[in-house]
mmCIF file of all heavy atoms in Angstrom:
data_model
loop_
_atom_site.group_PDB
_atom_site.id
_atom_site.type_symbol
_atom_site.label_atom_id
_atom_site.label_comp_id
_atom_site.label_asym_id
_atom_site.label_seq_id
_atom_site.Cartn_x
_atom_site.Cartn_y
_atom_site.Cartn_z
ATOM 1 N N ALA A 299 152.896 143.594 103.020
ATOM 2 C CA ALA A 299 153.894 143.055 102.047
ATOM 3 C C ALA A 299 154.557 141.773 102.576
ATOM 4 O O ALA A 299 154.939 140.855 101.820
ATOM 5 C CB ALA A 299 154.924 144.137 101.688
ATOM 6 N N LEU A 300 154.726 141.730 103.872
ATOM 7 C CA LEU A 300 155.322 140.551 104.464
ATOM 8 C C LEU A 300 154.411 139.307 104.361
ATOM 9 O O LEU A 300 154.827 138.161 104.490
ATOM 10 C CB LEU A 300 155.622 140.722 106.014
ATOM 11 C CG LEU A 300 156.718 141.664 106.457
ATOM 12 C CD1 LEU A 300 156.813 141.626 107.994
ATOM 13 C CD2 LEU A 300 158.075 141.225 105.887
ATOM 14 N N GLY A 301 153.113 139.560 104.316
ATOM 15 C CA GLY A 301 152.150 138.488 104.228
ATOM 16 C C GLY A 301 151.170 138.516 105.403
ATOM 17 O O GLY A 301 150.437 137.514 105.627
ATOM 18 N N SER A 302 151.212 139.560 106.228
ATOM 19 C CA SER A 302 150.291 139.557 107.401
ATOM 20 C C SER A 302 148.916 139.993 106.945
ATOM 21 O O SER A 302 148.719 140.772 106.059
ATOM 22 C CB SER A 302 150.790 140.581 108.424
ATOM 23 O OG SER A 302 151.811 140.063 109.091
ATOM 24 N N LEU A 495 154.403 138.040 112.753
ATOM 25 C CA LEU A 495 155.416 138.028 111.630
ATOM 26 C C LEU A 495 156.111 139.417 111.663
ATOM 27 O O LEU A 495 155.443 140.432 111.811
ATOM 28 C CB LEU A 495 154.668 137.895 110.337
ATOM 29 C CG LEU A 495 155.319 137.188 109.142
ATOM 30 C CD1 LEU A 495 155.824 135.787 109.532
ATOM 31 C CD2 LEU A 495 154.326 137.097 107.982
ATOM 32 N N GLY A 496 157.398 139.418 111.496
ATOM 33 C CA GLY A 496 158.130 140.724 111.481
ATOM 34 C C GLY A 496 159.235 140.709 112.498
ATOM 35 O O GLY A 496 159.273 139.879 113.385
ATOM 36 N N GLU A 497 160.156 141.639 112.361
ATOM 37 C CA GLU A 497 161.389 141.657 113.135
ATOM 38 C C GLU A 497 161.204 141.930 114.639
ATOM 39 O O GLU A 497 161.938 141.386 115.462
ATOM 40 C CB GLU A 497 162.406 142.653 112.507
ATOM 41 C CG GLU A 497 162.856 142.311 111.145
ATOM 42 C CD GLU A 497 163.357 140.885 110.933
ATOM 43 O OE1 GLU A 497 164.044 140.347 111.776
ATOM 44 O OE2 GLU A 497 162.941 140.247 109.867
ATOM 45 N N ASN A 504 161.415 139.512 117.505
ATOM 46 C CA ASN A 504 160.530 138.411 117.122
ATOM 47 C C ASN A 504 161.404 137.348 116.441
ATOM 48 O O ASN A 504 162.610 137.584 116.128
ATOM 49 C CB ASN A 504 159.456 138.940 116.218
ATOM 50 C CG ASN A 504 158.352 137.950 115.967
ATOM 51 O OD1 ASN A 504 158.135 137.016 116.772
ATOM 52 N ND2 ASN A 504 157.595 138.110 114.918
ATOM 53 N N ALA A 505 160.735 136.240 116.032
ATOM 54 C CA ALA A 505 161.466 135.228 115.251
ATOM 55 C C ALA A 505 161.871 135.843 113.933
ATOM 56 O O ALA A 505 161.149 136.776 113.462
ATOM 57 C CB ALA A 505 160.504 134.059 115.049
ATOM 58 N N ASP A 506 162.917 135.403 113.352
ATOM 59 C CA ASP A 506 163.409 135.931 112.049
ATOM 60 C C ASP A 506 162.433 135.641 110.936
ATOM 61 O O ASP A 506 161.955 134.488 110.788
ATOM 62 C CB ASP A 506 164.801 135.239 111.805
ATOM 63 C CG ASP A 506 165.384 135.689 110.481
ATOM 64 O OD1 ASP A 506 165.833 136.855 110.458
ATOM 65 O OD2 ASP A 506 165.380 134.907 109.556
ATOM 66 N N PHE A 507 162.148 136.664 110.132
ATOM 67 C CA PHE A 507 161.155 136.555 109.067
ATOM 68 C C PHE A 507 161.525 135.445 108.076
ATOM 69 O O PHE A 507 160.702 134.609 107.689
ATOM 70 C CB PHE A 507 160.954 137.888 108.367
ATOM 71 C CG PHE A 507 160.060 137.793 107.137
ATOM 72 C CD1 PHE A 507 158.687 137.656 107.304
ATOM 73 C CD2 PHE A 507 160.613 137.827 105.902
ATOM 74 C CE1 PHE A 507 157.864 137.480 106.208
ATOM 75 C CE2 PHE A 507 159.793 137.769 104.762
ATOM 76 C CZ PHE A 507 158.424 137.573 104.944
ATOM 77 N N ASP A 508 162.795 135.444 107.617
ATOM 78 C CA ASP A 508 163.194 134.469 106.583
ATOM 79 C C ASP A 508 163.133 133.019 107.155
ATOM 80 O O ASP A 508 162.673 132.108 106.439
ATOM 81 C CB ASP A 508 164.644 134.730 106.127
ATOM 82 C CG ASP A 508 164.733 136.046 105.401
ATOM 83 O OD1 ASP A 508 163.729 136.437 104.759
ATOM 84 O OD2 ASP A 508 165.767 136.619 105.419
ATOM 85 N N ALA A 509 163.422 132.923 108.406
ATOM 86 C CA ALA A 509 163.326 131.573 109.066
ATOM 87 C C ALA A 509 161.879 131.144 109.177
ATOM 88 O O ALA A 509 161.540 130.050 108.970
ATOM 89 C CB ALA A 509 163.947 131.599 110.446
ATOM 90 N N ASP A 510 160.976 132.123 109.417
ATOM 91 C CA ASP A 510 159.535 131.845 109.509
ATOM 92 C C ASP A 510 159.007 131.346 108.179
ATOM 93 O O ASP A 510 158.269 130.417 108.026
ATOM 94 C CB ASP A 510 158.741 133.065 109.905
ATOM 95 C CG ASP A 510 158.808 133.262 111.432
ATOM 96 O OD1 ASP A 510 159.246 132.355 112.168
ATOM 97 O OD2 ASP A 510 158.434 134.361 111.896
ATOM 98 N N VAL A 511 159.434 132.036 107.067
ATOM 99 C CA VAL A 511 158.972 131.668 105.741
ATOM 100 C C VAL A 511 159.442 130.241 105.395
ATOM 101 O O VAL A 511 158.676 129.413 104.922
ATOM 102 C CB VAL A 511 159.421 132.681 104.664
ATOM 103 C CG1 VAL A 511 159.222 132.169 103.256
ATOM 104 C CG2 VAL A 511 158.740 134.044 104.933
ATOM 105 N N LYS A 512 160.711 129.977 105.742
ATOM 106 C CA LYS A 512 161.265 128.640 105.545
ATOM 107 C C LYS A 512 160.476 127.579 106.353
ATOM 108 O O LYS A 512 160.181 126.477 105.780
ATOM 109 C CB LYS A 512 162.732 128.621 105.938
ATOM 110 C CG LYS A 512 163.640 128.769 104.715
ATOM 111 C CD LYS A 512 165.074 128.411 105.041
ATOM 112 C CE LYS A 512 166.025 129.267 104.256
ATOM 113 N NZ LYS A 512 166.802 130.200 105.033
ATOM 114 N N LEU A 513 160.204 127.927 107.552
ATOM 115 C CA LEU A 513 159.485 126.929 108.442
ATOM 116 C C LEU A 513 158.114 126.619 107.833
ATOM 117 O O LEU A 513 157.705 125.479 107.788
ATOM 118 C CB LEU A 513 159.380 127.499 109.872
ATOM 119 C CG LEU A 513 158.646 126.592 110.892
ATOM 120 C CD1 LEU A 513 159.381 125.269 110.998
ATOM 121 C CD2 LEU A 513 158.544 127.305 112.241
ATOM 122 N N LEU A 521 150.593 130.888 104.890
ATOM 123 C CA LEU A 521 150.278 132.021 105.753
ATOM 124 C C LEU A 521 148.970 132.680 105.188
ATOM 125 O O LEU A 521 148.762 132.804 104.004
ATOM 126 C CB LEU A 521 151.392 133.067 105.643
ATOM 127 C CG LEU A 521 152.655 132.812 106.436
ATOM 128 C CD1 LEU A 521 153.715 133.815 106.181
ATOM 129 C CD2 LEU A 521 152.376 132.705 107.952
#
Side-chain angles (χ1 to χ4, degrees):
L300 287 183
S302 284
L495 212 56
E497 298 308 318
N504 190 22
D506 178 73
F507 173 74
D508 294 334
D510 281 346
V511 170
K512 264 196 210 110
L513 181 60
L521 284 176

